[in-house]
Amino acid sequence: MASMATGFIKTPSPFHFIRRTSYTHLGAPITVSIAGSCKAKKTHLPLRVSMGLIEPDGGRLVELLVEEPLRGLKKKEALSLPAIQLTGVDIQWVHVLSEGWASPLTGFMRESEFLQTLHFNSLRLPDGSVANMSVPIVLAIDDAQKHSIGDSTSVALIDAKNNNPIAILKDIEIYKHPKEERISRTWGTTAPGLPYVDRAITNVGNWLIGGDLEVIEPIKYHDGLDRFRQSPAELREEFTRRNADAVFAFQLRNPVHNGHALLMTDTRRRLLDMGYKNPILLLHPLGGYTKADDVPLSWRMKQHEKVLEDGVLDPETTVVSIFPSPMHYAGPTEVQWHAKARINAGANFYIVGRDPAGMGHPTEKRDLYDAEHGKKVLSMAPGLERLNILPFRVAAYDKTQGKMAFFDPSRAQDFLFISGTKMRGLAKNKESPPEGFMCPGGWKVLVEYYESLVPASRNGRLPEPEPVLA
C-alpha cells in the first residue's frame, strides 16, 4: 500500500514541474499536486507525494516469455510453422515486447492498434482508459512471405543469422503497410535521409503482420553487456530492494558529462526537499539501433561506469541499465514512447531536455524539430498523466568556478557552452576539455573510442562507424 506525505516545498531557485497528476496505487487514489513554476522568491506550495512505485500501463506488466518447462515444446512447435526471418531491429522489438516495456501490448500491432498509434499516439483499453503509444511496433513482411503463410493462424519468428526460432506469433492479422503515411505521421516529414526509415522501413515488405507473441527464450546479445539489460520486472525488484519511494529516469544516447550529472544530482536533492526519503536515479542509456555517428553502446557503457567509479554519480542511489529499444530520432513523437516505457519500469518522474529524440534535418541546415516541443508535448500527452515531467535546467561551463553550473543569464559572459559536436571534435583530436567538464576517466574512454577508429582510416580521416545493433 502506498503511504502518503503532506508538506510544503521551499524553492529558492527556478524549478518547474509541468503536471498535476492523479492515479491509483494498489487500489487507492493518489494525487501529486504541484502548482506551476516557482520563482526566485520564497514560495510555499502545498504538496502531497506518493511513496511507492507507479503501476504499469494497464495495471500489470505484460511479459511474453514462455515459462522454462514449456520452451522445448514451443521450439518444436515453431519448427512446424511457416517462418518469418527477423532483422536485428526486429529482434530488438521482440526484446522490448517480451519484457513488457510496451505494456499493455501483447505482441506486434494489429491494424487497429497501428492506426490508433499513428493517429492518436495512444491505445484505448477495454476499460475505456487510455495508454500512451506513440511509435508503431510492427513487423513487416513481403509478398513472398505473405504467400508462404497461406491460411496458417500462427508463424514462427526466426533469427536470420542462425535460423534459430525465437518466438511464435499467434492469431495473426496481415494488413497493408502504408509506408508514406507511417513515415509522415511519425516523423512529420518524408524527406530522404531519416536513419531509422532507411534502416527499417524503406526496403522492407509492403505488408504488416500482427498477433500475440510467445517468446521462447530470453533475448541475449552475448556482447558482455547482458548483465546491464534489466527488464521492467527486474528493475522494479531492484528499486524495491533499495527502498525507493520515487524513481526518476534519465535517458541518454551520449556520454555523460558533468552538466548531466549536475542535473541528476540536483533533481534528487529537490525530490528530497519535496518529502521523498529515497529517490533513486534510473540512468537508462538507449541500447537498440542508433545512427552511424552516435557513440556505440559498448563505449558509452564503459564511459558510464567510469562516471560512477569517479564518484560523479552515487552508485548507492543510481541504477544503470540498458533500454533495449531502437532509436527513431522522431522528436516529440518518440519522446512519448521513451517516457511511457519508463512508467512500466517503475519511474514516476522523467527528466526531459532540449530537443529530446531529435536530430538535424536530413536535407536542410536546421534542426528537424522545435527544441522546446518535446517537453511541451510530454506535459499534454494522452496516457502520460501519471508521469511527472522534469524539464532540464540549462547547464554550461562556468569559467569563474571551473566547473559545470546552471546557466545564469545575468552573467552570460562567464559561461561556455560545449556542444556535442564540439565535444566529439575535442575527443577526436585528443584535446582536453576545460577541467570540470567531464570526469577524467570518462573523458579517457571517449578519446579511446575515437582512437579505435583511426587504424581503419586513410589519410588521417576517420571512417564512418557502422550503425549500432546492440
Side-chain angles (χ1 to χ4, degrees):
M1 181 68 68
S3 61
M4 305 294 295
T6 303
F8 296 90
I9 315 173
K10 293 184 179 180
T11 56
S13 59
F15 185 49
H16 296 264
F17 277 83
I18 47 180
R19 255 189 215 292
R20 172 182 171 86
T21 300
S22 297
Y23 61 95
T24 301
H25 179 71
L26 299 183
I30 294 173
T31 300
V32 178
S33 300
I34 305 157
S37 64
C38 312
K39 304 300 181 183
K41 65 181 181 179
K42 288 187 178 180
T43 306
H44 297 269
L45 299 181
L47 172 70
R48 300 172 68 207
V49 297
S50 67
M51 303 296 184
L53 298 183
I54 191 171
E55 284 189 346
D57 271 348
R60 67 181 183 90
L61 277 178
V62 179
E63 298 176 278
L64 305 176
L65 190 63
V66 172
E67 293 182 5
E68 194 164 359
L70 301 176
R71 290 175 187 171
L73 291 174
K74 284 296 177 183
K75 182 169 284 193
K76 185 178 293 186
E77 179 185 348
L79 294 172
S80 71
L81 296 171
I84 303 296
Q85 290 199 330
L86 302 182
T87 67
V89 172
D90 293 334
I91 291 172
Q92 290 169 8
W93 283 123
V94 171
H95 185 177
V96 166
L97 289 164
S98 71
E99 295 183 340
W101 294 103
S103 297
L105 282 184
T106 60
F108 284 105
M109 290 178 175
R110 297 181 174 91
E111 188 175 37
S112 64
E113 295 163 326
F114 173 70
L115 291 176
Q116 288 180 74
T117 298
L118 276 192
H119 293 275
F120 308 134
N121 285 173
S122 60
L123 299 174
R124 179 73 63 182
L125 304 184
D127 65 359
S129 63
V130 169
N132 189 272
M133 184 60 66
S134 62
V135 297
I137 301 180
V138 291
L139 180 60
I141 58 173
D142 58 25
D143 290 345
Q145 290 170 316
K146 180 176 182 290
H147 183 264
S148 71
I149 292 169
D151 295 331
S152 179
T153 59
S154 299
V155 296
L157 305 184
I158 306 296
D159 185 341
K161 288 183 177 180
N162 55 25
N163 287 322
N164 186 45
I166 64 171
I168 296 172
L169 198 63
K170 295 204 160 190
D171 297 324
I172 61 173
E173 177 185 341
I174 298 174
Y175 55 101
K176 289 183 179 179
H177 186 183
K179 294 182 182 179
E180 183 177 14
E181 181 181 1
R182 177 184 175 188
I183 294 165
S184 63
R185 294 199 70 89
T186 302
W187 282 270
T189 181
T190 56
L194 297 168
Y196 186 88
V197 172
D198 291 346
R199 181 75 176 189
I201 299 179
T202 301
N203 298 314
V204 301
N206 293 320
W207 302 94
L208 297 175
I209 181 170
D212 296 325
L213 197 62
E214 295 180 340
V215 181
I216 297 171
E217 293 179 344
I219 303 298
K220 300 295 182 184
Y221 300 83
H222 307 292
D223 57 358
L225 300 176
D226 284 332
R227 63 194 173 96
F228 290 108
R229 293 184 174 96
Q230 294 169 283
S231 70
E234 289 169 336
L235 285 169
R236 285 173 172 271
E237 289 176 4
E238 179 63 19
F239 299 144
T240 300
R241 187 187 69 78
R242 297 194 188 203
N243 296 315
D245 56 359
V247 177
F248 58 108
F250 185 77
Q251 167 168 303
L252 67 169
R253 65 176 198 273
N254 292 306
V256 174
H257 58 64
N258 288 352
H260 295 136
L262 173 65
L263 174 70
M264 289 182 270
T265 54
D266 185 69
T267 297
R268 186 172 195 277
R269 179 183 65 79
R270 291 175 183 277
L271 291 174
L272 290 169
D273 288 347
M274 288 169 56
Y276 290 98
K277 302 301 182 186
N278 190 29
I280 296 294
L281 166 65
L282 172 59
L283 184 64
H284 215 197
L286 184 134
Y289 163 80
T290 55
K291 58 188 176 67
D293 59 353
D294 282 350
V295 177
L297 176 65
S298 59
W299 288 95
R300 284 185 279 132
M301 293 304 294
K302 289 179 185 178
Q303 197 268 349
H304 299 343
E305 287 189 278
K306 289 297 183 183
V307 168
L308 291 173
E309 287 177 13
D310 288 2
V312 178
L313 294 173
D314 183 358
E316 294 299 315
T317 59
T318 303
V319 174
V320 181
S321 184
I322 294 172
F323 178 45
S325 176
M327 187 76 192
H328 280 64
Y329 305 92
T333 297
E334 184 175 16
V335 75
Q336 296 174 64
W337 158 242
H338 294 165
K340 171 250 170 50
R342 276 38 180 248
I343 291 176
N344 287 330
N348 52 342
F349 291 88
Y350 186 78
I351 301 173
V352 61
R354 180 188 179 278
D355 197 21
M359 59 172 280
H361 195 285
T363 61
E364 301 175 17
K365 292 184 176 180
R366 62 180 178 87
D367 288 340
L368 183 55
Y369 306 106
D370 185 294
E372 300 301 311
H373 282 183
K375 65 184 179 185
K376 291 179 179 179
V377 167
L378 280 184
S379 72
M380 302 180 287
L384 294 182
E385 293 82 5
R386 300 180 298 142
L387 188 65
N388 297 284
I389 307 303
L390 308 174
F392 264 35
R393 297 176 66 196
V394 177
Y397 187 78
D398 187 338
K399 293 180 286 186
T400 66
Q401 299 185 57
K403 66 179 184 179
M404 299 297 286
F406 291 121
F407 178 66
D408 181 355
S410 69
R411 51 185 189 92
Q413 70 281 358
D414 294 334
F415 287 87
L416 178 65
F417 287 89
I418 301 174
S419 67
T421 301
K422 175 70 171 175
M423 179 180 71
R424 288 189 291 271
L426 291 171
K428 287 177 182 178
N429 295 322
K430 301 181 184 178
E431 299 176 22
S432 296
E435 186 177 354
F437 171 73
M438 184 183 290
C439 67
W443 184 255
K444 183 180 178 183
V445 170
L446 196 57
V447 171
E448 288 173 353
Y449 162 63
Y450 286 108
E451 282 182 339
S452 74
L453 302 179
V454 172
S457 67
R458 294 181 180 179
N459 301 322
R461 296 182 63 185
L462 293 176
E464 287 294 323
E466 289 298 312
V468 177
L469 281 177

